[in-house]
Amino acid sequence: MKKIAFLGLFVFSIFALAACGNSDITATAEFSDLDIAFDRVTFDVTVTDENSEITGEIFARLLDEDGDVLDSTPLTIEEGETSVSRLGLQVLDLDPETDYELVVIATIGRRNEELTSVEFKTQVEGEILISTAEEFFSMGSNKSGTFVLQNDIDFSDVDFATPFPSGRSFSGSFDGQGYTLSNITIDQGAAYAGVFAYISSGSVNNLVLDNVQLGSSEAPLEVSSSSKVGILAGNASSASSSFENITIRNSAIYYNSSASYDFAQFYIGGFVGELRGTANNITVSDITIETKVSGTSRARVGGNVGYIYDDASIKQASATGDIKVVLDGESFGDGVSSTLDVGGFAGRNDSINGINAVEEVYSVVDLDVSVDYNTLESAESAIYSVNVGGLVGYSSKAINQAFAGGSISVSHTSSENDGLVSKLFSIGGIFGNYFGGALDKTVRYADGSTIVVDLPEDTNYDFSELIGYDQQKRTHVYGIYGVQNATVNGVVQDDEIPVIDDLSSYFDSSWTQSAYDGVQPLD
């Protein structure tokens, strides 16, 4: 496939026109969500007629450079309605690098009136080369394109807006060729937040992200509805998405959620907030995540991935850094359900995408979790659960050939109205809450780290330096390496758990063994 240089920023001029200068017409039309490839255009169109002016047919038409009609789609406003919308209309077999025009024509009285028009130019055929910030942003006009990064891009002093926000998912391919996108500041909260924000069936490979900041400690981003947040993307929503050779370093997420309704979601990960599809060789280093949760959402926070969905797979991946989560409840009343999953690598793992869908991973992340539900006096019943693990907070599947390090601190302040609610904390050096099968060489790397848990008497909890709550109690090949150093409510814990004396040739996976050898200086 030949490579053709990017031709610059695509500008879509969307404007309303009334034929013959008739400014009295109130009927309107609008084209939106244009996706332009080299051989096709996809778009949405809406026609609104509040005053019932349209007396005949309505068409959305595509015209060529000479004004000839290439495609005509009828639109009908149903009786009793004042508007019509058609989503995802598509015209195929266009010529590359050619000017076209979309128009809406409606019969009003005895005349055909042009309600709106959009001029556009089809993309170049082949790979689109990205060399500047402007060209990166312009990818949003071609969400299914094939993009190749040509050099490092420094976004210092550039107002960053993701090309792929909610409602405009990336389904193409992006090859970073090992180059770096750096110094990116995202200063607006959104349903999906990150450099790419929303990826559906797309792929991103061979890319370095350096110094990406979502919010700041002084001004964290705020959302009041479901949100998925990651340095690369908030949401990787399709099982056909893929990621390989991604490095994220020196980056931070400061993000708060007050979402408080049934099934509200709040997922944060150093790589992606929610992962579906496949990911390989994903390195997240020196990540800082600080978040405050005040609503009753299902919150899942991890150094690499917030939530690993059931159709995801991730291997040879890691996270290092710090995570701080504060759950400070507001309006936690009767019947409330609140779940918080926090892990050094992932908040929650439900992957069933093949055997060993998640393996050869590690995290060395310090976790600091504090909880105060502030339960209302009116609450007669509620269910609160917290799962915190050095590797994963809650995992329903095994994760093998893996290790987790870093200190863990979990504290909870009970409110005077907590007496009638159910509170269950599961805290572990590897997994907080585990429902998977037998583990194969999964290790708590304990040297130089501590686990400190401080919970009031009205809180039910399970704790271990390996697995806090092991629901199935399988026969595992696992253990702790290093000095045990854990206290619960001031009492030193001395678990009867397997101790591993030597990790120098412990792992069967050469990748995991090499990764462990690389963190040896922490000893």
Side-chain angles (χ1 to χ4, degrees):
M1 182 179 295
K2 67 178 180 178
K3 298 183 179 180
I4 303 175
F6 195 83
L7 294 182
L9 182 65
F10 291 93
V11 179
F12 309 116
S13 301
I14 302 178
F15 50 92
L17 301 174
C20 302
N22 190 348
S23 60
D24 295 331
I25 295 174
T26 61
T28 62
E30 180 183 18
F31 291 106
S32 60
D33 201 18
L34 270 73
D35 183 30
I36 297 128
F38 72 91
D39 62 348
R40 66 188 180 279
V41 62
T42 306
F43 58 92
D44 300 341
V45 61
T46 298
V47 179
T48 303
D49 185 20
E50 297 283 354
N51 298 317
S52 302
E53 293 177 318
I54 298 174
T55 56
E57 296 177 316
I58 311 169
F59 292 96
R61 287 175 173 164
L62 179 72
L63 311 180
D64 66 12
E65 295 173 292
D66 298 322
D68 295 330
V69 178
L70 302 181
D71 186 85
S72 186
T73 300
L75 308 172
T76 301
I77 298 177
E78 299 293 340
E79 186 175 353
E81 301 292 331
T82 60
S83 66
V84 58
S85 293
R86 293 287 300 275
L87 308 180
L89 293 177
Q90 189 173 73
V91 182
L92 305 175
D93 299 323
L94 304 184
D95 294 326
E97 300 182 80
T98 302
D99 292 322
Y100 294 95
E101 183 178 15
L102 286 166
V103 298
V104 171
I105 302 294
T107 301
I108 298 178
R110 296 184 176 182
R111 301 168 61 175
N112 289 331
E113 302 284 1
E114 183 178 295
L115 301 184
T116 193
S117 68
V118 177
E119 296 176 352
F120 68 92
K121 189 172 187 175
T122 48
Q123 304 275 10
V124 297
E125 185 176 5
E127 295 176 342
I128 300 172
L129 308 184
I130 304 297
S131 301
T132 67
E134 290 77 13
E135 291 171 353
F136 181 84
F137 296 140
S138 294
M139 294 191 305
S141 67
N142 184 10
K143 62 185 181 180
S144 60
T146 300
F147 302 100
V148 181
L149 188 61
Q150 295 299 290
N151 48 257
D152 298 337
I153 301 179
D154 186 342
F155 288 83
S156 297
D157 302 320
V158 175
D159 292 333
F160 189 90
T162 178
F164 307 109
S166 176
R168 189 167 187 78
S169 64
F170 180 52
S171 59
S173 66
F174 185 94
D175 183 358
Q177 296 199 113
Y179 291 114
T180 300
L181 306 179
S182 63
N183 302 317
I184 294 171
T185 298
I186 297 173
D187 57 10
Q188 295 292 325
Y192 306 136
V195 174
F196 284 76
Y198 186 16
I199 298 171
S200 53
S201 57
S203 66
V204 180
N205 303 309
N206 310 314
L207 180 64
V208 178
L209 298 175
D210 185 28
N211 190 29
V212 179
Q213 307 290 316
L214 279 72
S216 66
S217 57
E218 298 80 13
L221 303 185
E222 306 278 350
V223 291
S224 58
S225 58
S226 289
S227 187
K228 299 174 184 180
V229 184
I231 297 297
L232 181 76
N235 191 11
S237 66
S238 171
S240 59
S241 63
S242 65
F243 309 89
E244 190 167 8
N245 302 330
I246 306 293
T247 297
I248 297 166
R249 62 194 184 208
N250 308 316
S251 297
I253 298 172
Y254 300 92
Y255 225 89
N256 297 341
S257 171
S258 59
S260 191
Y261 52 89
D262 289 345
F263 308 115
Q265 301 171 339
F266 185 49
Y267 304 158
I268 297 180
F271 164 46
V272 295
E274 179 175 347
L275 175 66
R276 304 188 183 196
T278 59
N280 291 280
N281 194 23
I282 311 297
T283 301
V284 178
S285 62
D286 295 321
I287 186 73
T288 296
I289 298 175
E290 292 188 9
T291 181
K292 177 182 176 182
V293 181
S294 57
T296 58
S297 61
R298 292 174 290 175
R300 293 160 182 170
V301 183
N304 195 293
V305 181
Y307 181 34
I308 304 173
Y309 198 73
D310 61 13
D311 52 2
S313 172
I314 182 167
K315 300 182 181 184
Q316 299 186 359
S318 63
T320 66
D322 300 274
I323 295 176
K324 181 178 181 180
V325 180
V326 176
L327 197 164
D328 188 13
E330 294 179 1
S331 302
F332 276 35
D334 192 42
V336 161
S337 175
S338 170
T339 302
L340 174 63
D341 301 321
V342 182
F345 183 79
R348 182 177 176 115
N349 167 45
D350 284 331
S351 179
I352 55 174
N353 185 8
I355 299 173
N356 299 326
V358 183
E359 65 176 355
E360 297 180 306
V361 302
Y362 79 88
S363 61
V364 181
V365 176
D366 290 336
L367 305 177
D368 184 354
V369 179
S370 61
V371 177
D372 186 349
Y373 292 107
N374 298 308
T375 305
L376 298 177
E377 185 177 359
S378 59
E380 296 184 1
S381 66
I383 300 174
Y384 306 149
S385 64
V386 175
N387 303 300
V388 179
L391 191 69
V392 179
Y394 182 101
S395 185
S396 62
K397 299 298 175 183
I399 299 178
N400 299 319
Q401 303 293 320
F403 65 91
S407 295
I408 300 172
S409 173
V410 179
S411 63
H412 168 42
T413 301
S414 184
S415 65
E416 61 181 354
N417 299 315
D418 279 0
L420 295 178
V421 305
S422 171
K423 298 186 293 186
L424 177 59
F425 283 56
S426 299
I427 303 159
I430 301 175
F431 302 112
N433 196 329
Y434 183 65
F435 191 67
L439 296 172
D440 179 25
K441 297 188 176 180
T442 303
V443 176
R444 167 66 180 171
Y445 175 68
D447 266 16
S449 62
T450 62
I451 302 178
V452 179
V453 179
D454 187 8
L455 304 174
E457 292 183 357
D458 65 353
T459 303
N460 297 312
Y461 71 87
D462 294 291
F463 172 81
S464 168
E465 289 191 74
L466 297 180
I467 300 175
Y469 179 29
D470 189 356
Q471 297 189 45
Q472 302 206 79
K473 296 180 172 59
R474 300 294 180 88
T475 300
H476 304 299
V477 179
Y478 71 156
I480 186 169
Y481 172 77
V483 178
Q484 294 178 248
N485 191 346
T487 61
V488 177
N489 297 333
V491 178
V492 175
Q493 303 297 294
D494 188 15
D495 285 357
E496 293 184 3
I497 55 178
V499 175
I500 301 169
D501 296 325
D502 184 9
L503 288 178
S504 61
S505 58
Y506 178 79
F507 297 103
D508 298 325
S509 160
S510 59
W511 185 93
T512 306
Q513 189 64 55
S514 177
Y516 166 73
D517 294 341
V519 301
Q520 277 289 340
L522 295 177
D523 288 354

Tab-separated table of all heavy atoms in Angstrom, residues 7 108 123 175 178 181-182 202 257 272 364 394 401 412 428 431 471-472 490 513 515:
chain	number	residue	atom	x	y	z
A	7	LEU	N	-2.801	15.573	3.831
A	7	LEU	CA	-3.015	16.803	3.091
A	7	LEU	C	-3.486	17.966	3.941
A	7	LEU	O	-3.858	18.998	3.428
A	7	LEU	CB	-4.050	16.545	1.975
A	7	LEU	CG	-3.574	15.574	0.892
A	7	LEU	CD1	-4.634	15.429	-0.167
A	7	LEU	CD2	-2.267	16.047	0.277
A	108	ILE	N	-41.357	22.937	-0.374
A	108	ILE	CA	-42.126	23.860	0.458
A	108	ILE	C	-42.982	24.693	-0.490
A	108	ILE	O	-42.453	25.465	-1.308
A	108	ILE	CB	-41.204	24.761	1.300
A	108	ILE	CG1	-40.376	23.897	2.262
A	108	ILE	CG2	-42.007	25.803	2.061
A	108	ILE	CD1	-39.391	24.683	3.114
A	123	GLN	N	-10.710	11.446	1.474
A	123	GLN	CA	-9.333	11.292	1.915
A	123	GLN	C	-8.445	10.754	0.788
A	123	GLN	O	-8.926	10.262	-0.235
A	123	GLN	CB	-9.276	10.303	3.092
A	123	GLN	CG	-10.155	10.689	4.268
A	123	GLN	CD	-9.450	11.656	5.194
A	123	GLN	OE1	-8.390	12.180	4.888
A	123	GLN	NE2	-10.037	11.886	6.350
A	175	ASP	N	-0.369	3.247	13.837
A	175	ASP	CA	0.960	2.689	14.077
A	175	ASP	C	1.884	3.831	14.479
A	175	ASP	O	2.216	4.701	13.664
A	175	ASP	CB	1.481	2.011	12.812
A	175	ASP	CG	2.844	1.346	13.017
A	175	ASP	OD1	3.403	1.442	14.132
A	175	ASP	OD2	3.342	0.720	12.063
A	178	GLY	N	7.000	3.464	17.181
A	178	GLY	CA	7.929	3.684	18.285
A	178	GLY	C	8.113	5.133	18.677
A	178	GLY	O	8.872	5.432	19.610
A	181	LEU	N	4.206	10.617	21.724
A	181	LEU	CA	3.316	11.763	21.899
A	181	LEU	C	3.515	12.236	23.330
A	181	LEU	O	3.322	11.463	24.277
A	181	LEU	CB	1.862	11.379	21.659
A	181	LEU	CG	1.525	10.692	20.326
A	181	LEU	CD1	0.029	10.354	20.269
A	181	LEU	CD2	1.918	11.567	19.140
A	182	SER	N	3.888	13.499	23.522
A	182	SER	CA	4.287	13.944	24.861
A	182	SER	C	3.623	15.254	25.255
A	182	SER	O	3.128	16.014	24.413
A	182	SER	CB	5.808	14.108	24.924
A	182	SER	OG	6.259	15.111	24.026
A	202	GLY	N	-10.843	-0.499	16.706
A	202	GLY	CA	-9.566	-0.006	16.227
A	202	GLY	C	-8.369	-0.699	16.846
A	202	GLY	O	-8.480	-1.491	17.788
A	257	SER	N	-15.574	11.414	40.770
A	257	SER	CA	-16.909	11.037	40.302
A	257	SER	C	-17.935	11.195	41.416
A	257	SER	O	-17.740	10.723	42.536
A	257	SER	CB	-16.925	9.582	39.822
A	257	SER	OG	-18.249	9.154	39.554
A	272	VAL	N	-5.995	1.768	29.987
A	272	VAL	CA	-7.378	2.034	29.589
A	272	VAL	C	-8.296	1.853	30.790
A	272	VAL	O	-8.001	1.097	31.724
A	272	VAL	CB	-7.847	1.116	28.429
A	272	VAL	CG1	-7.058	1.397	27.167
A	272	VAL	CG2	-7.753	-0.347	28.821
A	364	VAL	N	3.997	-3.029	40.624
A	364	VAL	CA	4.653	-2.547	41.846
A	364	VAL	C	4.090	-1.152	42.070
A	364	VAL	O	4.640	-0.145	41.626
A	364	VAL	CB	6.188	-2.525	41.709
A	364	VAL	CG1	6.812	-2.046	43.018
A	364	VAL	CG2	6.731	-3.902	41.343
A	394	TYR	N	-10.574	-7.420	42.571
A	394	TYR	CA	-11.479	-8.569	42.458
A	394	TYR	C	-11.150	-9.285	41.160
A	394	TYR	O	-11.145	-8.666	40.086
A	394	TYR	CB	-12.938	-8.129	42.446
A	394	TYR	CG	-13.918	-9.292	42.376
A	394	TYR	CD1	-14.578	-9.744	43.510
A	394	TYR	CD2	-14.179	-9.948	41.171
A	394	TYR	CE1	-15.474	-10.803	43.452
A	394	TYR	CE2	-15.051	-11.024	41.100
A	394	TYR	CZ	-15.694	-11.441	42.242
A	394	TYR	OH	-16.566	-12.500	42.180
A	401	GLN	N	1.748	-16.747	36.428
A	401	GLN	CA	3.061	-16.215	36.073
A	401	GLN	C	3.060	-14.697	36.263
A	401	GLN	O	3.329	-13.916	35.352
A	401	GLN	CB	3.413	-16.597	34.638
A	401	GLN	CG	3.407	-18.087	34.352
A	401	GLN	CD	4.512	-18.838	35.090
A	401	GLN	OE1	5.636	-18.361	35.203
A	401	GLN	NE2	4.188	-20.023	35.601
A	412	HIS	N	-10.891	2.881	57.080
A	412	HIS	CA	-12.323	3.146	56.980
A	412	HIS	C	-12.789	3.831	58.259
A	412	HIS	O	-12.489	3.374	59.366
A	412	HIS	CB	-13.102	1.846	56.766
A	412	HIS	CG	-14.571	1.973	56.940
A	412	HIS	ND1	-15.301	3.038	56.455
A	412	HIS	CD2	-15.485	1.159	57.543
A	412	HIS	CE1	-16.578	2.877	56.759
A	412	HIS	NE2	-16.716	1.750	57.416
A	428	GLY	N	-6.007	-8.134	50.118
A	428	GLY	CA	-4.950	-9.125	49.971
A	428	GLY	C	-3.732	-8.578	49.257
A	428	GLY	O	-3.833	-7.639	48.457
A	431	PHE	N	-4.623	-10.693	45.559
A	431	PHE	CA	-6.022	-10.417	45.237
A	431	PHE	C	-6.765	-10.048	46.507
A	431	PHE	O	-6.570	-10.669	47.557
A	431	PHE	CB	-6.706	-11.645	44.620
A	431	PHE	CG	-6.060	-12.167	43.367
A	431	PHE	CD1	-5.420	-13.390	43.361
A	431	PHE	CD2	-6.104	-11.439	42.192
A	431	PHE	CE1	-4.825	-13.886	42.211
A	431	PHE	CE2	-5.512	-11.923	41.030
A	431	PHE	CZ	-4.871	-13.141	41.045
A	471	GLN	N	-12.589	-17.488	47.457
A	471	GLN	CA	-13.925	-18.072	47.511
A	471	GLN	C	-13.927	-19.571	47.211
A	471	GLN	O	-14.734	-20.316	47.778
A	471	GLN	CB	-14.837	-17.345	46.524
A	471	GLN	CG	-15.046	-15.877	46.842
A	471	GLN	CD	-16.120	-15.256	45.979
A	471	GLN	OE1	-17.199	-15.819	45.780
A	471	GLN	NE2	-15.832	-14.075	45.441
A	472	GLN	N	-13.048	-20.032	46.325
A	472	GLN	CA	-13.080	-21.433	45.934
A	472	GLN	C	-12.002	-22.283	46.609
A	472	GLN	O	-12.065	-23.504	46.557
A	472	GLN	CB	-12.955	-21.547	44.406
A	472	GLN	CG	-14.044	-20.790	43.662
A	472	GLN	CD	-14.303	-21.377	42.309
A	472	GLN	OE1	-14.990	-22.394	42.188
A	472	GLN	NE2	-13.758	-20.746	41.278
A	490	GLY	N	-3.682	-2.444	64.084
A	490	GLY	CA	-2.549	-2.371	64.985
A	490	GLY	C	-1.961	-3.701	65.384
A	490	GLY	O	-0.939	-3.734	66.086
A	513	GLN	N	10.047	-13.787	34.435
A	513	GLN	CA	11.324	-13.890	35.133
A	513	GLN	C	12.202	-12.676	34.836
A	513	GLN	O	12.815	-12.097	35.737
A	513	GLN	CB	12.060	-15.168	34.734
A	513	GLN	CG	13.295	-15.459	35.576
A	513	GLN	CD	12.943	-15.725	37.033
A	513	GLN	OE1	12.124	-16.610	37.333
A	513	GLN	NE2	13.520	-14.953	37.937
A	515	ALA	N	11.135	-9.728	33.953
A	515	ALA	CA	10.518	-8.577	34.607
A	515	ALA	C	10.885	-8.531	36.085
A	515	ALA	O	11.219	-7.467	36.621
A	515	ALA	CB	9.005	-8.628	34.438
